[in-house]
Amino acid sequence: MLHAGGMKLGKEGFKTASYYGLGFNSDRILFLIDKSESMIRYGKWSGLLEELTGFLSSSADTLHFNIVEFSDQVDLWEDGLQPLDQRSQKDAMRFLQRTNPYGPTNLSHAIKIAFEDTDADSVVLLSDGRANRGDAQEPDEILSELRQLNRYTRLSVYTVYLSGGPMIPYEARHGCTGDCPAPSEVDFEAWKRSKRDWLPTTKHGEMLARMASENGGECTIGFGKPWHASPP
């Protein structure tokens, strides 16, 4: 799913835009976004920007939000939640687009910073790979750290495991002398189904699922935009 589609009703009846298929019971949301080097590959970063733009464009003006991006460093867009309007939406997207994803992944530090934003009541974490920097790097360590941080604040935690988008074969774009598929013939939906079956079985996928289930949220799998293969 590359575009935020429509509106969803949360469990308490709160109406919210859809973000990678997730609906939220909140209008006070902190987005925690992985901006490590691996995010630039396979259509992940461009897909993320497109999805967030769609979510903000579709959300009601009651939404208040903030963004924390992380690699080996952690950067906050604003000091606290901001009301959604045209200015804040454009400013938030400029913040994310000012640099390309780069560096390793310090999820532990990012989670600590996120829980300092006490105005939010929901955290949405989007990540594509394992942590390789910080005080906690193994899944069990990160889960334990999150339990301690959320012991009293009780924020809802939603997670998105971001996979790269489907590859369009080089021949499908440039033509070939043999029997090559056109881009429209590439079965993206079948490819996505296979990823949905495989990704939750990875250590990182299992960790993101547990982060959500243990903290009143939901986990989903997101996909980057289709990308073109390099010449053979």
Side-chain angles (χ1 to χ4, degrees):
M1 184 181 304
L2 297 176
H3 299 274
M7 308 290 283
K8 291 213 171 185
L9 285 175
K11 294 177 182 177
E12 304 301 324
F14 184 84
K15 200 173 185 182
T16 163
S18 171
Y19 182 69
Y20 284 106
L22 293 173
F24 309 116
N25 298 329
S26 169
D27 60 356
R28 307 184 68 80
I29 299 173
L30 177 67
F31 290 93
L32 188 56
I33 294 177
D34 185 346
K35 202 174 181 180
S36 60
E37 187 170 353
S38 59
M39 288 288 292
I40 199 66
R41 305 186 189 113
Y42 311 128
K44 286 181 280 189
W45 188 247
S46 56
L48 179 152
L49 295 175
E50 190 171 289
E51 184 78 16
L52 185 58
T53 297
F55 173 80
L56 295 176
S57 297
S58 301
S59 292
D61 58 10
T62 55
L63 177 69
H64 288 66
F65 72 107
N66 199 4
I67 296 171
V68 175
E69 63 174 31
F70 66 95
S71 53
D72 57 336
Q73 303 294 323
V74 177
D75 290 313
L76 280 75
W77 168 47
E78 296 286 356
D79 290 335
L81 298 179
Q82 301 298 306
L84 175 64
D85 53 31
Q86 289 186 348
R87 181 206 63 78
S88 62
Q89 179 178 339
K90 290 179 180 178
D91 191 45
M93 299 313 297
R94 280 196 296 266
F95 167 76
L96 288 172
Q97 295 177 73
R98 73 195 191 287
T99 59
N100 285 326
Y102 183 76
T105 307
N106 191 338
L107 178 57
S108 174
H109 188 198
I111 290 174
K112 291 173 184 175
I113 295 297
F115 276 80
E116 291 177 1
D117 193 331
T118 54
D119 289 339
D121 53 32
S122 294
V123 173
V124 182
L125 167 64
L126 188 146
S127 180
D128 74 329
R130 69 180 185 86
N132 54 13
R133 294 289 188 278
D135 296 334
Q137 297 181 28
E138 292 300 316
D140 285 344
E141 295 173 343
I142 294 171
L143 287 165
S144 177
E145 189 173 72
L146 178 57
R147 289 186 200 103
Q148 291 300 314
L149 289 168
N150 207 22
R151 184 177 180 183
Y152 299 112
T153 51
R154 303 308 302 162
L155 302 186
S156 296
V157 178
Y158 298 83
T159 56
V160 180
Y161 191 171
L162 187 61
S163 167
M167 180 188 74
I168 298 176
Y170 177 82
E171 294 85 355
R173 184 181 184 187
H174 297 278
C176 67
T177 57
D179 184 17
C180 300
S184 60
E185 296 170 345
V186 177
D187 193 343
F188 293 151
E189 290 307 314
W191 180 89
K192 288 180 180 179
R193 286 194 296 272
S194 70
K195 285 287 188 179
R196 289 191 180 100
D197 292 338
W198 174 73
L199 287 172
T201 67
T202 66
K203 288 177 65 176
H204 185 68
E206 182 182 4
M207 180 191 73
L208 290 178
R210 289 180 61 189
M211 289 176 76
S213 65
E214 293 178 7
N215 293 279
E218 296 179 63
C219 177
T220 192
I221 297 173
F223 296 94
K225 297 181 68 174
W227 57 280
H228 292 93
S230 301

